[in-house]
Amino acid sequence: MKIIHADQAVSIKRSVDNGTEVQRQTVKVIIETVRAEGDQALINYTEKFDGIALQNLKVSEEEIAEAYRLLDENMLSIIKEAANNIRSYHEKQLKNSWMTTEENGTILGQKITPLDSVGLYVPGGKAAYPSSVLMNVIPAQVAGVKRIVITSPPDQKTGKLPPAVLAAAQIAGAAEIYKVGGAQAIAALAYGTETIKQVDKITGPGNIFVALAKREVFGDVAIDMIAGPSEIAILADESAIPVEVAADLLSQAEHDEMASSVLVTSSQSLAEAVQAEVHRQLSTLPKYEIASQSVENYGAIYVTETIDQAVEKINQLAPEHLEILTENPMELLGSIRHAGAIFIGRYSPEPVGDYFAGPNHVLPTNGTARFSSPLSVDEFQKKSSILFYSEKALKQNGEKIAAFARQEGLEAHARSIETRLR
Amino acid sequence: MKIIHADQAVSIKRSVDNGTEVQRQTVKVIIETVRAEGDQALINYTEKFDGIALQNLKVSEEEIAEAYRLLDENMLSIIKEAANNIRSYHEKQLKNSWMTTEENGTILGQKITPLDSVGLYVPGGKAAYPSSVLMNVIPAQVAGVKRIVITSPPDQKTGKLPPAVLAAAQIAGAAEIYKVGGAQAIAALAYGTETIKQVDKITGPGNIFVALAKREVFGDVAIDMIAGPSEIAILADESAIPVEVAADLLSQAEHDEMASSVLVTSSQSLAEAVQAEVHRQLSTLPKYEIASQSVENYGAIYVTETIDQAVEKINQLAPEHLEILTENPMELLGSIRHAGAIFIGRYSPEPVGDYFAGPNHVLPTNGTARFSSPLSVDEFQKKSSILFYSEKALKQNGEKIAAFARQEGLEAHARSIETRLR
């Protein structure tokens, strides 16, 4: 892990993967085929890409019940407690419709309505992530979404989904689950097939084909931000404990070779101690290969002269996860402009937020915290403006509105007002 | 304007214009050229597409002052009153950062921060739309955005921007304005040039090249929804006044040949009276050509058996603008699930919202009100999650969190927790 001084221009920025032209074309063909052939296309692509010929796309109640039985009691109770924490946090995000009234009779306001339906993509592959199920399903439920659909690619051997994923879906309360992955799943969610009715919004992470498909259907349905590899930045002074800082950096590095772990500190001695500690702890990790590549290519320790410079560096990075490990971390909270989630003090390491505490773990990556937010209840609701003018209000303002319309060259707009003024 | 009965399957849905392959390639080349050549590319493209060779891209203070002088007093005072109304409505959308505390020391919350910078695209062409300037700039200001940039293509003859647009920018308080349009403007806002520093989010409508460029830069910067042609749906019973209903339908139709005006009513007699009235009023409109094409191709009167069926039809359409012209319009408000803005009762015709009342006129089109909202202060702020665990909270929950991490195969996550528990 390299140490970089504030005045050195070294970039560890990862480029966004927009896919090759071949990948883009492949995704377009998949989407068009699913639109034309429906379920049969889903079954064909699942055989081709996931290596299994399915009879039924929909997960049965028996499969869910079996998955639930397979998980041990302790794990079930932890998932349930996590689900409760996540629900409780997201309930605090709920907003009310509102209205204001004026004496002339005007009523203006905003009506908040849940989306009718959403689709959650759960990636397959090496690991099963029940936490992703909770983090996507629960905010949608709290928002009041009636129909919540999950899709995920089936296992090549069993043709089933991972028990932990199904159990988490059961605990969260989502029952409409399909065994289909990749761009074909996104196409089905966006445009519908005989079995899978279309949804209004698609959320959840996925590989490059899933990301390209989401970009392609964007506009016909809503999508969440396109997720990049995970990252952490730690803002620390000399009071931080090197063993802990190193452990936290590595907890991001083990996710992905493309993950990025960065320490920004005003302390040269902390920088050196963390550097040594990272290499010591690395060697004992089961995911040594992944974590060491991540640390080598996208890890860095920035040393600044002052803590203010360190804060400015953090704002430039706009990290997905930020830990503040300074003597008085709350003092710095106000100066942090850009970060997906902010973990304050030594007893709040990042994994606290990944599973359990309650805030969402779906966060903006790769600098997009400059303009994006964590997944929340807001993303599963939408607003309608409310306008009510009384006769008195229209008489007071109608001529001004008609004049404004004519200024923009819109005569029929002016007449729509004036018809009521006569 | 055709009358369609509830049981007839007649679609007037407009397809979304995703551009031709040639247009997509053109936009890609423009973006790459602007990234490579900066200001010079902007000057070259402006000469090529807008037909004018500019010396300076930035609008000078003198140009703004001159524009302000050119506008008549009455119009200035109407624009100022509209700006005040828009500001007052959007200030009510502001949300506070919040935190919750638990007895074990846990603090969870959400910190709200404005974006650093946004760019507003104002289209050129036949008409000048000062209202668009107000509707985009003011919510960003209310959100607390420090740097607000406007770009718009210059006039071919004068090399200037329309006085009404500059005056509106002056009234709203935006001073960083550039004379550049099209895909090249979007590229400059997204990636920066010598003169135009990059922004974090781009909003505002534009032609197909602007829309394709926004789709292309999406992810590197945030964008608002890609706007389609305007539309209105009117929900009416036999109490509605045909002259007014027809005037309101035509006020949408005059916008664009692709605009859509729809009446949904449970009254056959209203349907017939409005049909006749539309054709009578059409003939006297200055924008007769545009409006009549719009009415012909994308206008319709749906007749249903009951008012409940009419409401369901409205929810299927998910219109950008909805007027409720029934005897007791407030009774139906709760049953409207999907609409960008809802205009209630006969004294609230749609143009009231286009300029003056306060709610935003940037609204979701083409059925996207199913999942999108009016432009608001929310779109110019973002959230960061806040997590603080005390030592006690981590000791209570640490082992559960570590177990969850191991269930997902993430050993370094578990160790990051356990380092603190020893």
Side-chain angles (χ1 to χ4, degrees), chain A residues 355-390:
Chain A
Y355 311 106
F356 195 80
N360 210 289
H361 78 189
V362 180
L363 297 167
T365 56
N366 212 21
T368 59
R370 292 183 69 81
F371 48 75
S372 309
S373 303
L375 190 65
S376 75
V377 168
D378 296 352
E379 274 74 54
F380 297 106
Q381 298 184 320
K382 39 47 179 220
K383 293 160 268 183
S384 302
S385 304
I386 304 291
L387 293 97
F388 174 84
Y389 259 28
S390 64

Side-chain angles (χ1 to χ4, degrees), chain B residues 338-397:
Chain B
H338 310 301
I342 306 171
F343 298 79
I344 301 166
R346 69 174 282 221
Y347 296 107
S348 318
E350 188 271 344
V352 162
D354 279 344
Y355 312 105
F356 194 80
N360 210 289
H361 79 189
V362 180
L363 297 167
T365 55
N366 213 19
T368 59
R370 293 183 67 80
F371 48 75
S372 307
S373 303
L375 189 65
S376 74
V377 169
D378 296 352
E379 274 74 55
F380 297 106
Q381 298 185 319
K382 33 67 178 204
K383 293 159 268 184
S384 302
S385 303
I386 304 291
L387 293 96
F388 174 84
Y389 260 27
S390 64
E391 185 175 359
K392 190 173 171 188
L394 193 69
K395 293 219 158 115
Q396 277 175 1
N397 298 302

Side-chain angles (χ1 to χ4, degrees), chain A residues 162-276:
Chain A
V165 164
L166 292 181
Q170 166 83 354
I171 288 167
E176 191 181 337
I177 310 172
Y178 299 100
K179 294 181 270 190
V180 57
Q184 59 273 22
I186 303 303
L189 291 171
Y191 302 109
T193 67
E194 302 91 317
T195 303
I196 306 178
K197 264 178 59 190
Q198 69 181 112
V199 301
D200 293 320
K201 181 163 191 167
I202 302 171
T203 69
N207 64 18
I208 182 68
F209 292 98
V210 170
L212 289 175
K214 281 169 74 178
R215 188 182 278 263
E216 194 64 30
V217 303
F218 166 63
D220 288 332
V221 296
I223 61 170
D224 60 353
M225 261 285 149
I226 292 169
S230 197
E231 70 214 10
I232 192 171
I234 300 178
L235 173 63
D237 62 16
E238 64 291 340
S239 73
I241 297 162
V243 176
E244 296 176 1
V245 174
D248 298 357
L249 292 170
L250 290 173
S251 79
Q252 279 308 300
E254 76 170 341
H255 268 299
D256 191 333
E257 294 89 343
M258 293 284 289
S260 174
S261 303
V262 168
L263 168 64
V264 184
T265 181
S266 52
S267 163
Q268 175 73 25
S269 64
L270 181 78
E272 287 165 15
V274 169
Q275 187 182 43

